[in-house]
Amino acid sequence: MRPPRGPFDPIPLPLGARLVPAVSIVAASLLTLWPVIVEFPLLPPAGLMMLLGWRLLQPDALPIWAPLPLGLVDDLLSGQPFGTAMLFWTISFIAIDSIDQRLIARDFWQDWLLASAAIGSFLLFSRLIATPLDAHVDMILLVQIIVSIMLYPVVAQFIGALNRRRAAL
């Protein structure tokens, strides 16, 4: 049984508003199923980008254990080896949380730098696990990392709009 809410405690969000971050991350992970025919796979890790965006822009939107089940969904949808997103998303979440405890304030540039480091590390880590070392995918991977980093501000804008609508629920 929960203790009663105090006079200065925030009013809890309704269930629909609490589910918006998780649903948006799963929807972004579903983008890997979109039937796009390209010669080079440059699709960014949209689920990870949404997760990082929610964590960096609205830290209390997701509990600390959220990357584990959301990474499981991404692993099942993306075709990466099982556990890749679960492990790395959780590591990224904990690393950002520990950096957050040491910083007094952050601005958008620092958020972009943190997200860029996490996205680049995830793509490199996934390449080492998913493809043989003698595969010639390094230039394509570099382009994918650059495209993903450049798309992060768009994801941050989208999350800001979702968060405003979530607050209105």
Side-chain angles (χ1 to χ4, degrees):
M1 185 161 155
R2 288 185 170 192
R5 189 173 66 85
F8 299 108
D9 292 340
I11 298 172
L13 293 171
L15 180 64
R18 286 188 307 224
L19 289 178
V20 167
V23 170
S24 66
I25 293 167
V26 170
S29 292
L30 283 169
L31 287 178
T32 58
L33 299 178
W34 191 268
V36 177
I37 300 171
V38 293
E39 192 169 330
F40 303 111
L42 298 176
L43 190 65
L48 173 65
M49 292 170 67
M50 288 293 281
L51 177 85
L52 292 172
W54 277 109
R55 174 59 187 91
L56 292 169
L57 296 174
Q58 189 67 34
D60 60 345
L62 294 166
I64 193 73
W65 52 264
L68 201 59
L70 294 171
L72 172 66
V73 170
D74 190 74
D75 280 337
L76 294 174
L77 295 173
S78 70
Q80 286 284 337
F82 189 70
T84 305
M86 290 170 56
L87 173 68
F88 195 78
W89 289 18
T90 305
I91 290 171
S92 298
F93 216 72
I94 292 171
I96 289 173
D97 195 45
S98 67
I99 290 170
D100 233 5
Q101 290 177 357
R102 287 167 178 68
L103 292 177
I104 296 171
R106 280 192 336 256
D107 62 356
F108 179 73
W109 297 104
Q110 291 169 325
D111 287 351
W112 197 358
L113 182 66
L114 286 171
S116 300
I119 291 166
S121 301
F122 173 72
L123 288 172
L124 288 172
F125 178 72
S126 298
R127 183 257 190 260
L128 290 175
I129 290 178
T131 60
L133 290 178
D134 60 348
H136 301 289
V137 295
D138 297 331
M139 187 56 73
I140 296 169
L141 181 67
L142 180 64
V143 172
Q144 185 182 17
I145 290 172
I146 291 170
V147 166
S148 301
I149 290 171
M150 292 298 125
L151 280 177
Y152 177 75
V154 175
V155 171
Q157 287 286 332
F158 181 69
I159 290 170
L162 277 178
N163 198 27
R164 284 189 296 276
R165 295 190 105 189
R166 182 176 87 121
L169 289 179

